[in-house]
Amino acid sequence: MAGESPTAEWPSGGLSLDAWRIRAAYERVRPALITDPPFAEDAADFDVSVEELDRRMSRPPGCLDGDTLWDWLGGADQYRWAGLRVLAEAFAGPTSLRLAGRVTVPEGGIRVATGDVVVDGDLVLEEQAAVLVLGRLTLTGALVGSVWDYSLVCAAEVRCRDGVTSGEILVLNAVRCTGALYLSGSDHSCRAPLFDGGILVDFERSNAFGRVDADERIAEWDFHTAARALGLSADDELAEAYAGRLLGAGRSVAPDTRSG
């Protein structure tokens, strides 16, 4: 990204899909994908089948947006992880985007990038918001998804300083968080071959990490230990309090730029 000028806007809108490219990409990756642990390891537990994945990949939408994403890849998160794998094979490219300041994806919005994205600040997802990056998503600040509802981050790789979400983070390679990542209570999962970083707090849900290389992982049901690790009081609503701490006063942050 040498010589690139940062912008404060992430263009809204979906990703135009070509059914032939989707099917050709799926044919190339299918042999490895259907046995890859992030898809296959717990597929039976959630009634996920290769036959259903075959059906979905044979009938992609013409454009991937906030509505068609769920029509095509709704249900168990394994289907969204597999869809990310196919989309990356079909459409990932060398284009890149650099965003200045805190970026907010509004309720129900979707932001798509076929290459790498760097946010010089925080990335905030409101309820039902989605981000799809077919390259690496790098944040110099915090990743904050909705802490009371669903949000979705899909990327080839995610790098951030800290983070909290009650939604999904689906990643093809690794989630790398130098500080503390709190995956708060929900019925959703995060799915990645690797978590690498400082502190991982994820005892409130079932996540599918192939390997965890963390300085500290809090996987036992213990809010007091979690609060200590996050620098909070055990009397706090931890997800809301941690999001407020990451985004609130006392940190040097750029002005909020609502992307949408």
Side-chain angles (χ1 to χ4, degrees), residues 12-259:
S12 60
L15 175 67
S16 295
L17 302 183
D18 178 275
W20 182 87
R21 287 180 69 178
I22 291 287
R23 288 193 286 267
Y26 182 52
E27 184 176 345
R28 291 194 296 272
V29 303
R30 184 183 185 277
L33 190 159
I34 62 175
T35 60
D36 202 334
F39 176 78
E41 189 170 84
D42 55 357
D45 297 338
F46 297 93
D47 295 323
V48 170
S49 70
V50 174
E51 292 76 18
E52 174 62 14
L53 181 62
D54 289 343
R55 185 191 70 79
R56 295 182 186 215
M57 292 300 115
S58 71
R59 302 175 184 176
C63 179
L64 192 67
D65 57 29
D67 294 323
T68 59
L69 170 66
W70 305 111
D71 293 337
W72 186 37
L73 299 175
D77 58 86
Q78 287 92 335
Y79 292 122
R80 289 182 288 287
W81 189 90
L84 172 64
R85 177 71 182 87
V86 175
L87 290 170
E89 175 71 19
F91 298 105
T95 59
S96 58
L97 179 64
R98 193 176 193 103
L99 304 166
R102 182 180 297 167
V103 175
T104 299
V105 183
E107 181 175 350
I110 186 170
R111 298 294 179 267
V112 178
T114 56
D116 295 340
V117 174
V118 175
V119 177
D120 288 319
D122 308 310
L123 176 62
V124 181
L125 287 79
E126 296 184 345
E127 295 180 1
Q128 301 295 317
V131 166
L132 174 66
V133 176
L134 302 184
R136 177 186 296 163
L137 174 62
T138 301
L139 316 176
T140 63
L143 171 61
V144 179
S146 171
V147 297
W148 295 116
D149 203 328
Y150 181 81
S151 62
L152 173 65
V153 174
C154 293
E157 182 169 301
V158 171
R159 296 186 175 193
C160 62
R161 184 198 64 212
D162 303 289
V164 57
T165 183
S166 65
E168 293 176 350
I169 303 175
L170 306 177
V171 176
L172 297 180
N173 299 319
V175 177
R176 303 184 189 277
C177 178
T178 56
L181 177 63
Y182 178 26
L183 302 175
S184 63
S186 71
D187 294 329
H188 313 300
S189 298
C190 290
R191 194 165 291 270
L194 171 67
F195 174 87
D196 177 45
I199 299 169
L200 175 62
V201 180
D202 69 334
F203 61 87
E204 295 173 78
R205 58 159 102 182
S206 298
N207 296 306
F209 293 110
R211 191 171 90 249
V212 172
D213 291 338
D215 296 336
E216 181 180 9
R217 183 182 190 182
I218 301 170
E220 300 295 327
W221 198 270
D222 187 341
F223 283 98
H224 287 275
T225 300
R228 173 195 55 75
L230 299 172
L232 302 171
S233 166
D235 295 329
D236 289 332
E237 291 284 354
L238 294 189
E240 185 177 40
Y242 191 48
R245 181 184 170 204
L246 295 181
L247 300 178
R251 284 191 181 271
S252 176
V253 295
D256 188 347
T257 302
R258 185 166 294 270
S259 179

